[in-house]
Amino acid sequence: MGAIRKITIEVDEAEASGIDHAVAAGDYADAEAAVRAAVRFWNRAREAEISRLRALIEEGLASGDPIDMPDDFFQDIIRRGNERLAAARAGS
């Protein structure tokens, strides 16, 4: 684990209650251990998301040369989306 550095954080009542509950349930020895676990989880999730996005970029680059889109391509998508939204609102 490298050097340890102490920092101070503030959390809202719901977050503090979640930490307290996890400690009381025996999942963690203390609030510090619970927060360390949360930070490790956050780092792993962030790294996984970055890897996923890099893979999608590579997939896109490997998919071939770009193709020209008609000038109204995106306007058509927006128009169809607005029509679907209007229909959904009319049905509710």
Side-chain angles (χ1 to χ4, degrees):
M1 176 158 79
I4 294 178
R5 195 176 95 192
K6 182 176 181 169
I7 61 172
T8 302
I9 62 167
E10 294 182 9
V11 296
D12 66 27
E13 187 55 40
E15 293 162 337
S17 289
I19 293 168
D20 292 341
H21 178 73
V23 172
D27 296 334
Y28 301 98
D30 54 28
E32 184 177 320
V35 171
R36 276 196 314 267
V39 170
R40 281 192 303 273
F41 175 80
W42 173 65
N43 282 329
R44 282 193 304 270
R46 183 175 162 270
E47 290 169 8
E49 182 64 6
I50 289 169
S51 293
R52 185 184 76 80
L53 291 172
R54 285 187 175 139
L56 288 171
I57 290 168
E58 288 301 319
E59 179 184 339
L61 292 172
S63 70
D65 292 332
I67 58 172
D68 288 330
M69 304 305 287
D71 290 339
D72 63 345
F73 179 77
F74 294 107
Q75 289 79 11
D76 185 52
I77 291 173
I78 293 169
R79 179 190 54 75
R80 287 185 287 139
N82 286 333
E83 288 172 358
R84 288 177 61 184
L85 180 60
R89 287 182 176 162
S92 50

